[in-house]
Amino acid sequence: MTTDHAGSVTSDHAADIDRHVRIYITVFVALMVLTIVTVAISRFHLPVHIAVTIALLVAVIKGSLVACYFMHLISEKKLIYAVLALTVAFFIALLTLPVLTVHDGYWMR
Amino acid sequence: MEIPYTVEIRRDTGLTNGKIGIWLFLASEVMLFGALFASYILIRTGSASWPRGDTILDVPLATFNTIVLISSSVTMVMAWASLMRRRFGTFRIYMGATILLGFTFLVVKYFEYSHHLHLGEFPRTSNFLAIYYTLTGLHMLHVMGGMAVNAYFWGPGAKQWKTNPEWFTNRVEHSGLFWHFVDLVWIFLFPTLYLL
């Protein structure tokens, strides 16, 4: 979302911003609730693989809310999506490759 | 010479130069933190045993800091929304609150670090502490950087509002994107280091 050239705020524009502000507050409440959920789940002392899965799932939901609404990714231009798609591909490779080297016993040779 | 495409949209990208610039920068930041997260996974999966974060770190303090950082993200986006509505006074309040919340985060982090250092828990003590100090330390540097930029827009940089409000609003939006990214990184750091 980029500022337009208008020098004054039209009523449509103001209503649009008001709608955005309501979304920001809703997202804020959701993030607070999910933070409490994250901490509460950790108190159950679940097996590591289940705890990791749940914690990362909640973190992904929280991160998506921040990215989509606070960073306006939900209504961005195609070029930004293209840049991020490339970033995500490299990010996944970056996280996966070390794990694969552990599982195939590379460090034990 | 005037800087091009600060307010007007480029026809080829559909964006201002500042917007595409900050997103490219954030993409490089993802890779920076990604490399450290990959190191964390490698060290953790490769070790015979790994401590649960909550047995070493202070979870209530970190939960408080999570709430502080999420709140600062809201005040940041509200600061931008205030400029979009041409309410400069409200912008100042929200931006001031964002800076104060960032400062609160750093104060809490200071107490957390000093507690560990007082107990003799240094980065060299264990792999867990090494990765904890590295990840949270780098994140803290980002908080400081974001605060410096936000403080500039709250203070001396705000003069631009009188001469070029559209450009100023875009710059605050870009600064906000960085700030939200810092919040986003913490959202992943918190469970990874403190709870698992």
Side-chain angles (χ1 to χ4, degrees):
Chain A
M1 193 172 294
T2 308
T3 317
D4 57 25
H5 286 279
S8 60
V9 182
T10 63
S11 59
D12 279 357
H13 181 70
D16 193 41
I17 299 297
D18 284 345
R19 192 174 57 83
H20 275 99
V21 167
R22 281 195 295 275
I23 292 170
Y24 299 149
I25 292 165
T26 310
V27 169
F28 172 64
V29 173
L31 289 170
M32 288 297 166
V33 171
L34 287 169
T35 300
I36 294 164
V37 168
T38 310
V39 177
I41 289 170
S42 74
R43 303 265 170 184
F44 289 117
H45 292 272
L46 297 166
V48 175
H49 63 284
I50 296 173
V52 168
T53 308
I54 295 174
L56 289 183
L57 189 70
V58 176
V60 166
I61 295 169
K62 285 169 75 180
S64 304
L65 286 172
V66 171
C68 287
Y69 296 102
F70 291 170
M71 299 172 90
H72 305 134
L73 266 185
I74 203 150
S75 55
E76 261 307 345
K77 294 282 186 294
K78 279 181 188 167
L79 184 64
I80 303 285
Y81 292 141
V83 167
L84 289 180
L86 199 63
T87 310
V88 167
F90 279 102
F91 181 74
I92 290 169
L94 195 63
L95 292 187
T96 314
L97 287 175
V99 178
L100 292 177
T101 62
V102 170
H103 287 298
D104 74 358
Y106 177 83
W107 301 102
M108 305 301 168
R109 286 171 201 163
Chain B
M1 193 181 123
E2 201 176 308
I3 303 171
Y5 304 109
T6 53
V7 176
E8 65 275 29
I9 306 292
R10 276 182 75 116
R11 218 185 298 170
D12 51 358
T13 62
L15 298 157
T16 58
N17 279 356
K19 177 66 91 61
I20 189 71
I22 188 71
W23 274 110
L24 286 172
F25 174 66
L26 292 182
S28 74
E29 289 279 87
V30 169
M31 298 314 286
L32 173 66
F33 279 99
L36 288 173
F37 269 106
S39 308
Y40 166 82
I41 294 168
L42 188 63
I43 294 169
R44 182 167 180 166
T45 53
S47 70
S49 65
W50 192 263
R52 267 183 69 104
D54 56 7
T55 58
I56 297 173
L57 305 173
D58 193 327
V59 175
L61 217 52
T63 308
F64 174 74
N65 250 357
T66 306
I67 291 166
V68 165
L69 218 51
I70 289 171
S71 305
S72 78
S73 246
V74 180
T75 53
M76 184 77 217
V77 82
M78 294 295 270
W80 170 79
S82 305
L83 289 180
M84 290 293 281
R85 297 205 65 179
R86 312 277 175 210
R87 291 177 182 170
F88 184 72
T90 319
F91 155 76
R92 268 245 158 104
I93 293 168
Y94 280 123
M95 191 55 121
T98 308
I99 297 161
L100 278 177
L101 287 164
F103 185 71
T104 307
F105 180 90
L106 292 180
V107 169
V108 171
K109 214 82 204 103
Y110 165 78
F111 283 115
E112 211 183 323
Y113 275 2
S114 30
H115 172 72
H116 290 299
L117 296 174
H118 183 72
L119 292 175
E121 294 172 352
F122 298 100
R124 66 169 182 269
T125 309
S126 68
N127 279 342
F128 175 83
L129 285 168
I131 205 82
Y132 160 75
Y133 279 113
T134 309
L135 277 166
T136 57
L138 183 69
H139 178 265
M140 206 168 64
L141 286 176
H142 280 72
V143 173
M144 287 175 184
M147 277 176 69
V149 176
N150 288 343
Y152 172 74
F153 288 132
W154 184 84
K159 276 186 286 189
Q160 196 186 27
W161 175 252
K162 287 180 183 161
T163 55
N164 196 337
E166 285 85 10
W167 190 7
F168 181 70
T169 307
N170 283 354
R171 294 175 87 190
V172 169
E173 186 191 8
H174 304 154
S175 163
L177 285 171
F178 177 76
W179 192 255
H180 300 313
F181 173 78
V182 170
D183 180 27
L184 213 153
V185 170
W186 182 257
I187 282 172
F188 283 92
L189 277 184
F190 173 56
T192 306
L193 293 174
Y194 290 82
L195 303 177
L196 297 174

